[in-house]
Amino acid sequence: MSVESLPLLKRRLARIERRHKPASVSPRHAPTGHDGLDRALGGGLLRGRVHELQVADPGEAGSGAGFAGVLAQRLGGELLWLREEAAERGMGRLHAAGLVEIGFDPAHLILGVLPDPAAVLRCAADAIRCPALGAVVIELWGDPRPLDLTATRRLALAAEGSGVTALLLRVAGHEAPSAAQTRIAIAPAPSIALPANAPGHPAWRIELLRQRGRPDGGAWRVEWDRANGTLREQEHDGETISGAVVPLSADRSAGALNTG
């Protein structure tokens, strides 16, 4: 469902929360499936925290969105994706086909398009407190003034209180002080061609730049194994490489993501 006003978004979240049935306690970590990354993270992505995903090149924003979608899929539950109107107009809309390609059900996505970064952050801080959500993606471009250490602390406190995981997707921004649990750099990698030269699996180069309470460091080339719903190491030495990547954004001629 695409929502372009804050009151509508709040009503949508309220309906989800009314339907929400508390489940048994979720595992503390959500494993990605990639052994090296999961070991570095202490068992997987820590739930109820803010994780910063950095994409340096604005032309690679779709690939970064794809990786955020993969993590959201591993976290499970309802996903709220918040972005600015400027990103929606200038870089294209999210679309369902990319999510389906990585195994995510668009029926579990709410897309909130808000006027500016301040509105995105205000909405995120409120939405993260809704325990019916599995994850909230907060997509911000450049270095918006409202995104400071205080803002990330506010997000972190909300996430810790509710257990909802926030994925702060930063496109073409610079590193800055943050209360995020991790900071991961993301760039697209060529996929390995499948038999008959069919396009390969979505692939990324990722680097763990920082982590609270655990050692930093670690770089991997990973791909999405849709059949098993996990990340895995990409075996690329000596293989034929194709240029296929699976974007999660489309140009303005593409239809808007609408999940009902």
Side-chain angles (χ1 to χ4, degrees), residues 40-212:
L41 294 173
L45 204 67
L46 187 59
R47 298 180 188 270
R49 298 293 189 273
V50 177
H51 299 277
E52 187 175 328
L53 309 177
Q54 285 196 340
V55 180
D57 185 343
E60 298 173 350
S63 182
F67 192 79
V70 162
L71 295 183
Q73 197 264 12
R74 295 297 296 167
L75 287 160
E78 302 282 339
L79 169 63
L80 172 63
W81 194 302
L82 300 173
R83 66 195 322 234
E84 307 166 54
E85 288 178 356
E88 188 82 351
R89 290 193 307 269
M91 300 305 297
R93 299 169 177 174
L94 296 181
H95 64 119
L99 287 169
V100 171
E101 184 64 26
I102 60 172
F104 194 91
D105 183 355
H108 292 294
L109 171 69
I110 306 169
L111 174 62
V113 181
L114 299 167
D116 52 50
V120 169
L121 288 166
R122 284 196 303 270
C123 183
D126 288 340
I128 291 169
R129 295 184 175 91
C130 173
L133 293 173
V136 177
V137 174
I138 307 159
E139 181 185 347
L140 293 170
W141 289 65
D143 299 302
R145 290 186 62 184
L147 183 63
D148 56 15
L149 182 58
T150 299
T152 60
R153 282 176 174 162
R154 190 176 297 119
L155 296 174
L157 287 172
E160 290 176 25
S162 67
V164 175
T165 306
L167 303 174
L168 180 57
L169 176 59
R170 297 199 57 205
V171 180
H174 295 88
E175 290 189 19
S178 170
Q181 175 69 25
T182 61
R183 177 178 290 149
I184 302 172
I186 304 160
S191 61
I192 299 173
L194 296 175
N197 206 33
H201 300 289
W204 299 268
R205 296 186 303 274
I206 61 172
E207 182 177 0
L208 181 59
L209 300 176
R210 64 180 295 273
Q211 181 173 201
R212 289 182 175 270

Side-chain angles (χ1 to χ4, degrees), residues 21-37:
K21 296 179 180 179
S24 57
V25 178
S26 298
R28 182 172 171 80
H29 293 86
T32 69
H34 184 278
D35 290 342
L37 178 58

